[in-house]
Amino acid sequence: LDAEDCSIVRVDAKTGMAEIMVRASKPEERYVDIGLDENPELKEAYASRQMVYFPDAKPFGIIAIPMVARDAVLGLIDIRSARLSPVMTPATSRFFEIMASTAANALRNAQLFEEVEHRARTDFLTGLPNHRYFQTTLATELSRAQRHNRPLSLLIIDLDFLKEVNDRFGHPSGDLVIRSIAEIIRRALREIDFAARYGGEEFTVILPETVLGAAVQVADR
């Protein structure tokens, strides 16, 4: 099509939020949030599940093709070109149908893989990384700290009397305590810190670039 640009846009069916996963003109920019309300052509293609063709749009003509897999619209292919013909030919239309179907299946497979990977790394009760992911991350951070001769601190957090909570109030209450503690830990940390549920009533926090005194302050907080 000799187009100026082409993007793959993923749409979250639950929230309606959209993001440009990859863009041909700027491949280094990934996962850029966009609003469907500000892009009515994309919104129309998403809502109607039909390809939309606006060759006279300014500054570029627009083709928006929904990517549908298993009766769900996963996203859109967004093409911008100033050299679109007034009418789309049947051959070009068929090409886009095949391309969108192929892309949708690839995206669905990638999302399923993402979900499996996420479940493998995440503790189901707290949403924090699990023991296995913690071990992998700790090995990486230790290696980095040693290689660059930088400080690294590690917190081990153990909840007292959780058995008494379970015995007196029931395990759902104990689970609520664990989730609440996890959220308190999560809110207290920087972006570079790494909290995980080690197991049972134990949590760990990896604090890169953190000397002992600063780690004590985090633990107290």
Side-chain angles (χ1 to χ4, degrees):
L1 292 171
D2 198 20
E4 275 73 19
D5 211 352
C6 178
S7 302
I8 301 294
V9 179
R10 178 163 60 178
V11 181
D12 187 323
K14 295 180 180 178
T15 64
M17 300 297 293
E19 61 178 357
I20 297 175
M21 299 178 66
V22 64
R23 184 177 179 183
S25 63
K26 297 180 179 180
E28 71 281 359
E29 292 185 7
R30 301 288 184 104
Y31 308 110
V32 178
D33 292 337
I34 63 170
L36 289 183
D37 288 336
E38 289 80 45
N39 294 270
E41 298 85 2
L42 299 184
K43 186 175 183 179
E44 180 180 337
Y46 180 74
S48 68
R49 300 185 169 210
Q50 299 292 324
M51 177 169 53
V52 298
Y53 189 66
F54 293 98
D56 298 324
K58 301 299 180 184
F60 301 114
I62 298 171
I63 309 173
I65 310 105
M67 297 186 293
V68 183
R70 299 283 183 90
D71 202 36
V73 182
L74 304 181
L76 302 147
I77 300 172
D78 177 17
I79 297 169
R80 308 289 170 119
S81 174
R83 290 173 287 278
L84 296 179
S85 60
V87 179
M88 180 180 289
T89 66
T92 302
S93 176
R94 179 61 180 155
F95 166 75
F96 281 129
E97 288 176 5
I98 295 171
M99 184 171 69
S101 176
T102 302
N105 286 322
L107 181 56
R108 175 175 166 76
N109 289 338
Q111 288 176 337
L112 290 173
F113 181 77
E114 258 183 12
E115 291 169 7
V116 170
E117 284 285 291
H118 178 73
R119 286 198 296 267
R121 298 194 306 258
T122 305
D123 172 64
F124 76 96
L125 181 60
T126 62
L128 291 176
N130 59 20
H131 185 181
R132 178 182 174 187
Y133 192 22
F134 160 75
Q135 294 287 359
T136 302
T137 304
L138 180 61
T140 300
E141 290 294 341
L142 277 173
S143 176
R144 188 189 65 81
Q146 291 168 347
R147 186 167 61 251
H148 298 290
N149 194 30
R150 302 299 301 168
L152 175 72
S153 294
L154 174 66
L155 307 184
I156 307 284
I157 302 168
D158 180 73
L159 307 189
D160 290 334
F161 310 117
L162 186 65
K163 183 178 184 302
E164 284 82 346
V165 172
N166 287 332
D167 290 345
R168 183 173 179 183
F169 301 105
H171 285 274
S173 294
D175 289 347
L176 179 60
V177 169
I178 291 173
R179 285 196 298 270
S180 299
I181 294 295
E183 185 57 31
I184 289 169
I185 293 171
R186 186 185 286 112
R187 289 201 304 264
L189 301 181
R190 305 165 297 179
E191 285 190 11
I192 65 170
D193 300 331
F194 181 92
R197 186 183 181 194
Y198 193 80
E201 60 248 47
E202 292 182 320
F203 296 85
T204 58
V205 180
I206 301 171
L207 300 170
E209 302 290 336
T210 305
V211 297
L212 180 59
V216 169
Q217 290 179 359
V218 174
D220 285 339
R221 184 165 69 245

